[in-house]
Amino acid sequence: RNGIGKTTLLNHIVRRDIENLPEMGEVLLVEQEVEAGHFFFHEGDDLEYVYLIIEGAVAILLEPPDQEVPQTVGAQLTRELDTREVVVSTVGTGDIFGWSAIMTPSQASAGAKALTRCRVIGLKRSSLLEAFNQDTEFGYLMMQKLADVIRARLRDLRIESLAFVGRKAPSL
């Protein structure tokens, strides 16, 4: 529980709700420590947790096919392409990632990789949704904060896209 109250996602939720979270479902909170380089998930993965960063930094990234590496037809058919990592956002202490877990179809819209040693708390999807149903005020506050997170991620993606478009095209 240390650090939960410091997160930007939960800073507007009353202490009563934070203290009651574990009682609202099966196992709602799971704390995890990982080393730099750990992938929490890849784009397209089914997600079971929304993560709150207690300590550390995480890259939100896309893994498009690497245009510099020849791709075989077999790799294209099996989707086992050589990829490269494109960081579209970096999140740190007090931030949330993996929000796609509570949005249908609960698949990651990007990947998440630890940039530093991280300590995170995972909020289990099924228990979190159950908590939303049991306490609609809590659910509403969480969805408001998630909307803020989504807005910020879309802004970051737009900035990254504009930077990419603005680069000089290679000569032929």
Side-chain angles (χ1 to χ4, degrees), residues 21-117:
L21 283 178
E23 298 167 10
M24 292 184 176
E26 43 188 282
V27 178
L28 177 60
L29 303 175
V30 176
E31 189 167 346
Q32 183 179 12
E33 285 193 40
V34 300
E35 296 297 324
H38 171 79
F39 267 93
F40 291 94
F41 50 82
H42 294 273
E43 183 178 359
D45 285 353
D46 290 329
L47 299 179
E48 290 189 43
Y49 293 92
V50 174
Y51 295 93
L52 300 170
I53 303 172
I54 301 305
E55 191 177 312
V58 174
I60 305 302
L61 51 87
L62 300 175
E63 296 176 89
D66 189 341
Q67 300 297 323
E68 304 293 319
V69 176
Q71 308 285 355
T72 67
V73 172
Q76 292 175 24
L77 292 173
T78 60
R79 296 191 179 269
E80 295 177 4
L81 301 170
D82 290 319
T83 60
R84 61 188 178 92
E85 295 177 2
V86 177
V87 176
V88 294
S89 183
T90 302
V91 292
T93 302
D95 290 329
I96 184 173
F97 65 98
W99 54 265
S100 297
I102 61 170
M103 309 299 233
T104 304
S106 303
Q107 292 181 327
S109 57
K113 179 181 179 181
L115 293 174
T116 64
R117 181 181 177 98

Side-chain angles (χ1 to χ4, degrees), residues 141-154:
L141 290 171
M142 288 288 284
M143 294 309 284
Q144 274 188 317
K145 297 308 287 178
L146 285 174
D148 289 343
V149 169
I150 293 166
R151 186 190 83 250
R153 293 292 173 7
L154 289 172

Side-chain angles (χ1 to χ4, degrees), residues 122-164:
L123 299 169
K124 190 169 184 174
R125 174 191 190 283
S126 58
S127 297
L128 193 54
L129 293 175
E130 181 183 323
F132 290 176
N133 287 330
Q134 288 181 10
D135 184 344
T136 55
E137 180 182 2
F138 168 68
Y140 176 74
L141 290 171
M142 288 288 284
M143 294 309 284
Q144 274 188 317
K145 297 308 287 178
L146 285 174
D148 289 343
V149 169
I150 293 166
R151 186 190 83 250
R153 293 292 173 7
L154 289 172
R155 181 197 63 228
D156 291 345
L157 185 57
R158 181 176 181 269
I159 291 168
E160 181 68 25
S161 296
L162 289 173
F164 179 77

